[in-house]
Amino acid sequence: MKKLNFILKLTCIAMSLFFLSNTLKAQSNIIEHEVKYLSVAPVIDGELDSNLTYLKPREFPVKNKSNNNNPDVDVSYRLAYGTDFFYVYIEVDAEKLVYRDRAYQNGDGFHMVLAKPIADNEPTEEFYVLAGSAVNKKSMEWTRNIFWYYNVDNIFKRTSKDTQLMFLEKDGKTSFELVLPWKDVYPYHPWISENIGFNLCFVKAIGEKEKNIYKVLEDEMGAENSSRKYKNLKFQQPLHETENQTYFVLDRNNIKGKETISGISATVSAGKDNEELIVKIISGENTLVDYSRQTFTCEQGVNIKHFDINKNPIATGGYKIEWYSKLNASKGETYLTSLPEFNLPEIRKEIESIKENISKPSYQTLQFKAFEIDKELNEVKTYETCGNQRLAISKILSQINKGKNGEDIIYGKRGFIRKAYRSELDEKLIPYMVYIPDDYDPNKKYPLLVYLHGSASDETNLKGAKFTIPEGFIALAPNGRGPSNCYTWDNAQADIAEALNAVTESYSIDETNIILSGFSMGGYGVYRTYSEAPEKYKALAIFSGNPNIANMWSGTNNYMDFTQEKNLEIFKNVPMFIFHGKKDINCAFDITQGIIEKLNNNGAIVKFVTEDDKGHETPGQKTILSYYDWVRAVLNNDK
């Protein structure tokens, strides 16, 4: 019996230690000091409002330097929130702001994670990464405030105009002041979300190229296709002193069939009071489809209400959900998609039924699009609208119906077209994008531009790089079988070759006039791809590339390094247009500059163009016109 009691005591102690360990772990993942509540949003001018000096300055626990000789710089931040906003103020012990290309990465600027925590506070795949930069020229204004990442695989998502960021130099300090509407990080909200994860990184530029990096939690917040670490925020219970304020979200922003539309409202009140909330469902034609009127009594503090909105089922389509209080100034809008049925096996049968009526590339493209739609529908989050998927379903059904009548509208399309081929390597359907001139004539031969996208992108990036497509060209952008493989692993080279074959088989291409081009990581891809298949390409155009990025990213020396002269011999007599902005830090200008002489020594015919004020970005108009002149000279064999 004594032995049994001893075992029971040990078991109890072990369980107590286990629960204590979990409790301490959970507590250690909470940001120290709760985030204070504000009834009114601050004035955003870069300076801390005099009535907000009570907000506690917070230190960055993690501090790193790109060079150990960098001076120490004191940086702190303050947080607050309101019913419809999140507030961040960052103060730096520096007299002057430094303006760099993509300052949110390179200084002076910051990036911030707001995330949906998961069990045991493991890294999450649901998050926003907001980037904020000090900017002093129009071409970099897009970096002032933009979502660098949204969830794992979305990049550069715009904020609304209501997100405000200002920066300031004053009294020997520089500062950044941000107000971020909760609607921009939908559906996160302190009173509706179970928890909100947080991380913040400030980047201080030091000298010409160095930087100090300050973080709340050690994590690579700019990592591509990766989950994010975070600490949980603890929000102060609001001590509200003005009229009621309400915030509203949908229970889900996509529905199928006759599902009910439900909402959640959160109203903060200074005391016992009434609230009357109107929620309207507005069609794409701006017609009122249905509405809900909710009247309820509020107690002091936060009042949460769940309710249904629609009385009747709504038709397939896209809808705007407008909401407002009849008793105070609270109002807003969100969006909803009502999806049609999409049965992949049935769609596949329909595609098979028109196989003989359309071209092989169109048939394979329809197969790919059907699988892609099904995959996206299975992965969509409850808080996401599905407008693109709804339109894609409508489009593929229309294309199938046209095919039944013998019309191949995919082949006949002009402009930018996303297509697919079935790989001989592994039978996978792989997408690619083409650009076909409006006046395309199959009886005429066209020069071809092959464009390799940069990292964290895909073949659709061709639309954003339209400047690379000279007049009279057909263009191809391969997928590369991945967003960030340097066109070196993941069978990326096989994809380029197969996509090229698909285009030359589908369209009238002059195969003696194919120019290979790429931006950033795609610039390395140009060097690499030409070294694999030099017989296919007449000339090369490299924009802001890094000739050794595969080794730098992999941390190895396993891949071709085109800064080494022995790897440049293959470019003898090859016309090359190379552009690089002198302020580029992401793909350092010095590396490209360092190989120009080596290329010339090896007999390459290089036209090297730089711009003093350009970073990692599209070149200026003068450079683009110079590029077009170079293309014309190449086509005329005027080397």
Side-chain angles (χ1 to χ4, degrees):
M1 182 61 72
K2 288 183 178 180
K3 185 175 181 180
L4 178 60
N5 287 337
F6 179 71
I7 293 172
L8 288 172
K9 286 181 180 179
L10 284 179
T11 303
C12 290
I13 292 170
M15 291 179 66
S16 297
L17 289 173
F18 173 77
F19 287 120
L20 177 61
S21 173
N22 283 347
T23 300
L24 291 173
K25 181 180 178 182
Q27 290 176 345
S28 69
N29 203 56
I30 297 175
I31 294 283
E32 188 178 4
H33 306 299
E34 62 186 9
V35 181
K36 299 297 185 182
Y37 172 78
L38 305 178
S39 295
V40 180
V43 175
I44 303 302
D45 54 10
E47 186 172 7
L48 187 69
D49 292 359
S50 59
N51 65 331
L52 296 182
T53 55
Y54 73 92
L55 295 177
K56 184 177 179 61
R58 302 165 185 258
E59 301 299 318
F60 287 89
V62 180
K63 301 173 185 178
N64 298 310
K65 297 180 178 181
S66 62
N67 186 313
N68 289 333
N69 294 322
N70 289 357
D72 294 326
V73 179
D74 290 333
V75 183
S76 64
Y77 69 100
R78 308 182 196 216
L79 302 176
Y81 84 103
T83 303
D84 53 11
F85 65 88
F86 186 60
Y87 174 75
V88 181
Y89 176 80
I90 301 171
E91 189 170 271
V92 186
D93 189 12
E95 291 191 357
K96 296 290 183 181
L97 288 162
V98 179
Y99 302 95
R100 284 182 178 172
D101 175 43
R102 303 195 186 203
Y104 58 87
Q105 283 180 284
N106 301 312
D108 285 351
F110 66 92
H111 42 279
M112 175 180 73
V113 171
L114 291 177
K116 180 181 179 180
I118 58 177
D120 297 324
N121 293 309
E122 290 296 314
T124 180
E125 294 188 349
E126 295 183 58
F127 54 81
Y128 291 84
V129 181
L130 178 77
S133 299
V135 295
N136 63 348
K137 61 179 182 177
K138 188 175 181 180
S139 64
M140 282 290 102
E141 192 63 36
W142 69 272
T143 68
R144 177 188 289 263
N145 47 260
I146 190 167
F147 289 113
W148 189 4
Y149 290 96
Y150 163 65
N151 293 347
V152 169
D153 52 3
N154 296 278
I155 188 168
F156 294 138
K157 174 184 168 77
R158 292 187 182 277
T159 66
S160 75
K161 60 181 177 57
D162 296 319
T163 291
Q164 299 177 57
L165 173 66
M166 295 296 290
F167 34 86
L168 185 69
E169 301 169 346
K170 187 175 181 180
D171 299 333
K173 305 282 187 181
T174 61
S175 55
F176 290 74
E177 189 176 30
L178 168 76
V179 65
L180 174 66
W182 290 118
K183 69 176 184 179
D184 276 17
V185 287
Y186 188 92
Y188 303 157
H189 192 277
W191 306 331
I192 296 173
S193 304
E194 185 176 347
N195 281 303
I196 297 177
F198 173 80
N199 201 358
L200 179 64
C201 172
F202 183 79
V203 184
K204 178 71 189 87
I206 304 294
E208 287 294 317
K209 297 179 182 178
E210 304 299 338
K211 58 188 177 182
N212 290 354
I213 301 172
Y214 305 80
K215 298 179 183 179
V216 170
L217 179 67
E218 183 57 67
D219 191 30
E220 184 49 65
M221 287 171 258
E224 298 168 4
N225 303 292
S226 301
S227 55
R228 297 296 190 274
K229 296 178 182 178
Y230 52 87
K231 281 182 171 285
N232 291 320
L233 292 170
K234 184 178 180 181
F235 293 92
Q236 179 191 41
Q237 286 299 309
L239 301 173
H240 194 68
E241 298 176 348
T242 61
E243 67 177 6
N244 291 356
Q245 294 178 359
T246 294
Y247 190 78
F248 172 84
V249 299
L250 290 176
D251 183 57
R252 60 179 303 133
N253 291 72
N254 58 82
I255 62 171
K256 295 178 182 178
K258 299 181 179 180
E259 292 181 356
T260 299
I261 305 168
S262 301
I264 307 169
S265 68
T267 301
V268 61
S269 180
K272 193 163 186 176
D273 202 351
N274 294 322
E275 175 63 299
E276 185 175 352
L277 190 65
I278 306 297
V279 183
K280 295 181 177 181
I281 304 173
I282 310 293
S283 72
E285 293 75 31
N286 204 32
T287 301
L288 178 64
V289 174
D290 210 337
Y291 76 98
S292 173
R293 181 191 301 270
Q294 299 293 323
T295 303
F296 47 89
T297 300
C298 297
E299 303 296 334
Q300 183 179 20
V302 177
N303 301 262
I304 304 294
K305 299 294 179 183
H306 297 256
F307 53 88
D308 295 338
I309 300 169
N310 58 322
K311 306 175 188 69
N312 303 298
I314 63 171
T316 296
Y319 297 88
K320 179 168 66 173
I321 309 298
E322 293 183 351
W323 61 270
Y324 61 91
S325 169
K326 292 201 72 175
L327 304 180
N328 58 69
S330 300
K331 63 179 180 178
E333 60 186 37
T334 184
Y335 295 88
L336 171 79
T337 304
S338 178
L339 288 163
E341 288 296 322
F342 186 82
N343 186 307
L344 181 60
E346 290 299 320
I347 294 293
R348 291 179 65 187
K349 288 180 183 178
E350 291 283 294
I351 294 171
E352 287 299 318
S353 73
I354 63 169
K355 182 177 180 180
E356 302 303 320
N357 296 356
I358 59 177
S359 65
K360 179 181 175 182
S362 296
Y363 165 69
Q364 292 176 340
T365 297
L366 287 175
Q367 286 182 307
F368 170 78
K369 288 184 176 179
F371 282 113
E372 183 177 58
I373 292 168
D374 187 67
K375 180 176 183 290
E376 290 178 355
L377 290 176
N378 287 327
E379 293 178 351
V380 71
K381 307 294 189 294
T382 58
Y383 51 83
E384 294 177 321
T385 56
C386 300
N388 290 338
Q389 290 78 14
R390 179 178 65 84
L391 294 175
I393 293 171
S394 175
K395 187 175 181 180
I396 196 172
L397 292 176
S398 173
Q399 290 168 335
I400 290 171
N401 287 331
K402 296 282 187 182
K404 289 178 179 179
N405 296 322
E407 185 178 352
D408 189 344
I409 62 174
I410 294 176
Y411 177 77
K413 190 177 178 184
R414 301 293 180 259
F416 291 101
I417 315 160
R418 190 161 176 255
K419 304 179 74 173
Y421 70 89
R422 188 172 292 280
S423 174
E424 294 181 1
L425 187 68
D426 53 14
E427 292 298 307
K428 288 183 178 179
L429 289 162
I430 309 296
Y432 61 93
M433 180 160 274
V434 292
Y435 171 80
I436 307 299
D438 291 339
D439 59 354
Y440 172 72
D441 179 356
N443 297 311
K444 174 185 171 183
K445 291 287 187 181
Y446 289 80
L448 177 69
L449 178 89
V450 178
Y451 174 78
L452 304 182
H453 63 75
S455 65
S457 300
D458 60 23
E459 68 284 353
T460 61
N461 186 241
L462 179 63
K463 288 184 177 181
K466 189 177 180 181
F467 78 90
T468 63
I469 309 173
E471 185 178 357
F473 270 66
I474 288 175
L476 158 68
N479 173 271
R481 288 200 176 220
S484 304
N485 57 25
C486 301
Y487 298 96
T488 297
W489 48 87
D490 299 333
N491 294 310
Q493 286 298 316
D495 174 60
I496 295 170
E498 288 192 290
L500 183 57
N501 288 339
V503 170
T504 55
E505 289 174 5
S506 298
Y507 299 99
S508 183
I509 304 296
D510 178 358
E511 296 186 43
T512 66
N513 279 317
I514 300 178
I515 295 177
L516 178 63
S517 70
F519 171 75
S520 190
M521 181 194 77
Y524 177 84
V526 171
Y527 293 109
R528 175 67 190 233
T529 303
Y530 185 81
S531 71
E532 294 273 341
E535 72 284 355
K536 293 183 179 179
Y537 304 102
K538 185 171 188 176
L540 311 175
I542 299 163
F543 297 90
S544 304
N546 181 324
N548 190 31
I549 202 169
N551 289 315
M552 293 172 69
W553 281 7
S554 66
T556 70
N557 291 309
N558 297 336
Y559 306 107
M560 290 192 73
D561 175 1
F562 293 99
T563 65
Q564 295 186 13
E565 202 148 354
K566 66 179 182 179
N567 293 327
L568 301 179
E569 296 172 359
I570 197 168
F571 300 105
K572 183 177 181 179
N573 296 326
V574 178
M576 301 178 72
F577 183 94
I578 300 177
F579 164 77
H580 217 116
K582 289 186 176 181
K583 291 188 176 179
D584 192 339
I585 297 175
N586 289 56
C587 287
F589 169 77
D590 293 349
I591 298 177
T592 290
Q593 186 181 40
I595 70 164
I596 298 302
E597 184 177 352
K598 295 177 184 178
L599 283 165
N600 287 326
N601 290 341
N602 280 276
I605 307 166
V606 180
K607 183 176 181 65
F608 182 43
V609 181
T610 68
E611 293 185 45
D612 291 342
D613 64 340
K614 286 290 184 180
H616 200 60
E617 57 186 304
T618 300
Q621 190 61 26
K622 185 177 179 181
T623 297
I624 293 172
L625 292 175
S626 176
Y627 163 64
Y628 293 155
D629 288 342
W630 171 82
V631 170
R632 283 190 288 270
V634 166
L635 294 184
N636 293 328
N637 290 317
D638 182 10
K639 300 179 182 179

